[in-house]
Structure formats: structure tokens, C-alpha cells
Amino acid sequence: MTEDFQFAWMVYAASTLVMLLAGWWFMRNWRWSWVRQTLLLVAAAVLLAPAKTSVAESVAVPVLPLFVYQTLFEENGAAPEVTTNLIFASGGALAIMVVWGVVSLLMRFRRDRRRRFDEDPYFNEQ
């Protein structure tokens, strides 16, 4: 990758991280923190994941901006590999958050159940 593209990637990544931090800051008081975390993780995945193109010596370009550019300005629309990269980046982020959400719900359920049992020794839910 040439020096110009490295500098462009650094600027793009830094501005994307600043935008994600600003999103986290403004959404920090939401009651459902898992929604905030899911939105920010999906946004980070589609904005920072590089697209794999069919050209052998092409420069890595972020998935979402490339998808939008190809959809709007190219005759045939977005290339299939760019669309696939976008789907897998967002789907992977959503899958990670689903697993995290299920585990945290189970842990919270067990913690509440243990707390109720400690408060009431006659509590038995079988």
C-alpha cells in the first residue's frame, strides 16, 4: 500500500473511531446498554472492515463507503464480493452481540435467582 493510502486509512480510521466514541458518549444513558453496544459494533464493523475485491493488486477500501459508491455511481450496481463482505461484516457483528446478549441474560437470571434464594431460604422454584 502506498504512503498516500496509508495516510488516508489512518485519517479514515481515526475519524470513524471519533464518530463511534461520540455515539457511545451520547447514548451512554440509555437504559438498554446492549442496544447501544450492538449499534456501535455493527457500525464499526461495516465502516472499518476492508473490502476484498476481485482485482489482485487493489488497495483495501472500507466496505460500506465502497458499497454506497458502487450502488450509486456504477452501471451494474455493487459488485457481488463487496455486497458479500458487507453482509458478513454486519452479520458477524450481530452474531457476536446475540451471543453476548444471551450469555448476559442467563448470568443475570442466575444472579437474581441466587439473590432471591439468599434472601428467602424457603424459596424453591422447581
Side-chain angles (χ1 to χ4, degrees):
M1 191 183 310
T2 64
E3 207 171 293
D4 295 338
F5 284 112
Q6 286 178 347
F7 182 70
W9 260 103
M10 287 189 304
V11 168
Y12 179 77
S15 62
T16 301
L17 290 176
V18 166
M19 183 188 68
L20 291 171
L21 283 172
W24 175 82
W25 178 259
F26 288 115
M27 292 187 292
R28 72 186 186 282
N29 292 328
W30 282 17
R31 178 146 173 87
W32 293 349
S33 66
W34 60 271
V35 175
R36 177 190 69 216
Q37 293 168 349
T38 302
L39 289 173
L40 292 175
L41 186 67
V42 170
V46 298
L47 288 172
L48 292 175
K52 175 93 172 130
T53 59
S54 59
V55 180
E57 296 181 11
S58 66
V59 177
V61 179
V63 174
L64 187 62
L66 181 62
F67 177 78
V68 170
Y69 173 79
Q70 286 182 348
T71 302
L72 295 177
F73 299 114
E74 290 192 7
E75 258 181 52
N76 299 332
E81 58 268 4
V82 173
T83 306
T84 304
N85 284 335
L86 182 65
I87 290 170
F88 279 114
S90 58
L94 282 174
I96 288 170
M97 290 311 295
V98 164
V99 169
W100 180 337
V102 167
V103 168
S104 66
L105 284 174
L106 288 173
M107 296 300 286
R108 184 181 308 145
F109 174 72
R110 290 187 58 152
R111 193 177 327 120
D112 289 346
R113 193 167 168 198
R114 179 170 293 160
R115 183 184 46 81
R116 280 198 298 175
F117 183 75
D118 288 343
E119 290 173 359
D120 184 10
Y122 299 109
F123 172 74
N124 190 0
E125 198 175 73
Q126 291 182 3

